[in-house]
Amino acid sequence: ETGVTQSPTHLIKTRGQQVTLRCSSQSGHNTVSWYQQALGQGPQFIFQYYREEENGRGNFPPRFSGLQFPNYSSELNVNALELDDSALYLCASSRNPSGTTDTQYFGPGTRLTVL
Amino acid sequence: DAKTTQPPSMDCAEGRAANLPCNHSTISGNEYVYWYRQIHSQGPQYIIHGLKNNETNEMASLIITEDRKSSTLILPHATLRDTAVYYCIVRGLSSSGSARQLTFGSGTQLTVLP
């Protein structure tokens, strides 16, 4: 059983640019959640995708958007990058979001630096 | 989801048991206690979760008090590789159309000393 993978590992962008981060979910999982972790803080929930639709969102502006594909992989897109977007972006996959304990398994993360 | 309180840091000698406490006094009946850990700059790693009974797996044991207001994660024989930030999270069941995200606090920095 393959785990959650993310790409790229590291990324450097400049303010105002756009970025796309990718996540492949663990085999058998149909739900992907994205988190942002600023330096020295715990991860903060961005949004979750289930069956290719957004299934919940945290307190993040609309310039954070996502997609989920039929194979359950997912993308996180951030437009108009700001310096404060510099963080570790984490993807977590799980089996079913409804009526279960839905344990989430995390990928290694993508380190984004905005200059 | 209920709020949790953890000590900011703990030390443990290598080979000894590490006991990490967590208070969750406002937990409700259908909320689970989850533990994750995060080794520096890596993704969080799932450790264990439970509702009201004590749980054990290959990584750790979870002891939940009878009133469910607190819990303890036990690493029976800590090694240097167990040095990490440990997060205690209380989380309810997902419902149709509603995501159940993990709400991370500051966690406990466990340092295993040689």
Side-chain angles (χ1 to χ4, degrees):
Chain A
E1 182 175 278
T2 56
V4 179
T5 61
Q6 293 186 242
S7 62
T9 306
H10 296 87
L11 201 53
I12 299 175
K13 291 286 189 177
T14 57
R15 196 169 48 182
Q17 285 189 312
Q18 179 265 343
V19 69
T20 297
L21 310 181
R22 295 177 175 84
C23 171
S24 292
S25 59
Q26 186 168 315
S27 176
H29 288 184
N30 56 18
T31 301
V32 172
S33 304
W34 286 91
Y35 294 80
Q36 179 196 65
Q37 186 173 24
L39 200 61
Q41 299 181 20
Q44 301 295 308
F45 175 69
I46 302 175
F47 45 54
Q48 182 181 93
Y49 277 83
Y50 172 58
R51 293 184 176 176
E52 303 178 53
E53 293 192 1
E54 189 178 290
N55 187 41
R57 188 177 185 93
N59 189 26
F60 280 81
R63 61 189 184 85
F64 286 78
S65 64
L67 284 172
Q68 186 180 32
F69 300 100
N71 66 355
Y72 306 125
S73 66
S74 177
E75 288 182 353
L76 164 65
N77 299 290
V78 187
N79 293 322
L81 283 167
E82 301 177 359
L83 298 179
D84 285 348
D85 295 334
S86 295
L88 180 67
Y89 287 86
L90 296 158
C91 165
S93 75
S94 53
R95 196 175 298 272
N96 188 319
S98 180
T100 71
T101 56
D102 184 31
T103 299
Q104 296 185 12
Y105 296 90
F106 285 81
T110 293
R111 171 71 63 188
L112 173 64
T113 301
V114 182
L115 302 176
Chain B
D1 296 332
K3 182 180 170 59
T4 62
T5 303
Q6 300 178 252
S9 64
M10 293 181 63
D11 292 340
C12 176
E14 188 177 19
R16 303 298 294 269
N19 296 281
L20 293 96
C22 179
N23 284 318
H24 31 79
S25 59
T26 61
I27 193 170
S28 61
N30 64 352
E31 290 182 318
Y32 285 73
V33 179
Y34 277 79
W35 284 83
Y36 283 78
R37 73 180 182 184
Q38 188 172 26
I39 296 168
H40 183 63
S41 292
Q42 298 181 19
Q45 178 187 23
Y46 166 76
I47 302 173
I48 199 167
H49 73 280
L51 182 63
K52 55 183 178 182
N53 299 319
N54 297 339
E55 302 286 346
T56 296
N57 63 19
E58 65 278 4
M59 288 184 67
S61 294
L62 173 60
I63 308 298
I64 302 174
T65 58
E66 192 169 343
D67 63 7
R68 301 207 327 118
K69 293 184 177 182
S70 66
S71 60
T72 301
L73 179 74
I74 301 172
L75 307 179
H77 305 287
T79 71
L80 299 179
R81 287 179 294 181
D82 291 323
T83 292
V85 177
Y86 286 76
Y87 295 100
C88 169
I89 299 166
V90 171
R91 181 163 173 255
L93 291 176
S94 299
S95 59
S96 177
S98 173
R100 279 294 184 184
Q101 71 267 29
L102 295 167
T103 301
F104 289 81
S106 301
T108 296
Q109 171 66 58
L110 174 69
T111 302
V112 180
L113 304 171

